[in-house]
Amino acid sequence: MIDVLIADDHAIFRSGMRRLLSDEPDMRVSGEAANGQEVIDLLQAGKYSVVLLDINMPGRSGLETLKRIRASWPAQPVLMLSMYPEEQYALIAIEGGANGYLSKDRDAGELLQAIRAAAAGGKYISPNVAVQLLTKPRHEASQAPHLGLSAREIEIMHLIVQGVSLTEIGEKLFLSVKTISTYRTRLLAKLGLESNADLVRYALRHELID
């Protein structure tokens, strides 16, 4: 039996995943978490075949949680799920130790296939991502400035380009406005940008947002 831990801060999404997996004779949802700390707590208390981990969660982000999982449970299968574009964030997630990455708009059958692959100790990359990785020059991917951002910087970048204010970002991530401002300054410097408008243009140019 494949025991799945679902980590997502949206209760409706978790409910939908429960219904989907309940129809599979070899799968069951054995745990649910709404944030990164709950994921760590559940892994400390029990074993799971696969962790379905959302990238964008309050507090510790999915990528930061993945880093913690890899440090404490190096063999734990983890699949990253997100609304962020696969073409960019699949590489970041997999290099961070994920067994696979799927955007939430993928077909349910593909998700089930990915779960089974991860549970067996393998990796899963969607056909779309595989084509992108094969056709994109490797040196170009490795030199993309945003690939050097930390998990928290990536999360804050996405919120900024969505038009979320620094105050709102701080409230969402449980951090002070001063800390968020420091993160913003740091990520702009790493990307060689000067303003939020530049950041939006960068995100569009690199297909980090729709």
Side-chain angles (χ1 to χ4, degrees):
M1 181 65 68
I2 298 175
D3 291 297
V4 179
L5 167 57
I6 301 173
D8 193 287
D9 60 328
H10 294 94
I12 293 177
F13 178 80
R14 298 198 306 271
S15 176
M17 288 299 302
R18 281 199 307 273
R19 289 195 297 272
L20 173 64
L21 299 187
S22 67
D23 292 333
E24 301 302 309
D26 61 335
M27 297 183 190
R28 64 187 176 193
V29 176
S30 300
E32 294 185 31
N35 56 61
Q37 186 56 53
E38 289 182 5
V39 173
I40 300 306
D41 292 343
L42 287 170
L43 287 174
Q44 289 174 336
K47 294 183 178 180
Y48 298 88
S49 306
V50 178
V51 176
L52 295 183
L53 185 60
D54 184 32
I55 281 186
N56 191 17
M57 294 189 296
R60 178 186 285 131
S61 72
L63 289 172
E64 289 182 322
T65 302
L66 174 64
K67 184 177 180 180
R68 172 71 188 280
I69 291 173
R70 282 290 159 262
S72 300
W73 301 277
Q76 173 65 55
V78 178
L79 279 177
M80 302 298 294
L81 298 176
S82 176
M83 290 304 298
Y84 297 157
E86 290 181 337
E87 291 81 358
Q88 294 292 341
Y89 287 93
L91 182 59
I92 293 173
I94 290 171
E95 289 184 344
N99 293 70
Y101 180 103
L102 285 173
S103 63
K104 291 181 178 179
D105 60 358
R106 304 301 296 184
D107 181 81
E110 188 174 346
L111 173 60
L112 296 174
Q113 181 182 353
I115 291 173
R116 292 188 175 97
K123 292 186 179 294
Y124 184 86
I125 300 175
S126 73
N128 182 45
V129 172
V131 170
Q132 292 289 334
L133 294 178
L134 287 172
T135 57
K136 187 171 186 178
R138 187 61 184 174
H139 70 277
E140 179 184 335
S142 64
Q143 291 176 357
H146 63 271
L147 295 178
L149 296 177
S150 69
R152 181 63 82 189
E153 287 165 346
I154 290 171
E155 188 170 21
I156 291 173
M157 177 185 70
H158 268 276
L159 292 170
I160 290 174
V161 299
Q162 290 168 17
V164 182
S165 71
L166 298 187
T167 299
E168 292 173 319
I169 294 173
E171 293 174 350
K172 178 179 176 63
L173 301 181
F174 304 106
L175 297 171
S176 70
V177 175
K178 182 178 180 180
T179 298
I180 298 300
S181 181
T182 299
Y183 271 113
R184 174 186 174 277
T185 300
R186 187 184 305 158
L187 73 89
L188 287 176
K190 287 184 177 181
L191 298 178
L193 306 175
E194 297 182 355
S195 67
N196 288 0
D198 290 340
L199 190 59
V200 172
R201 285 191 287 270
Y202 179 96
L204 289 170
R205 184 169 66 251
H206 290 272
E207 299 180 341
L208 302 178
I209 58 175
D210 296 329

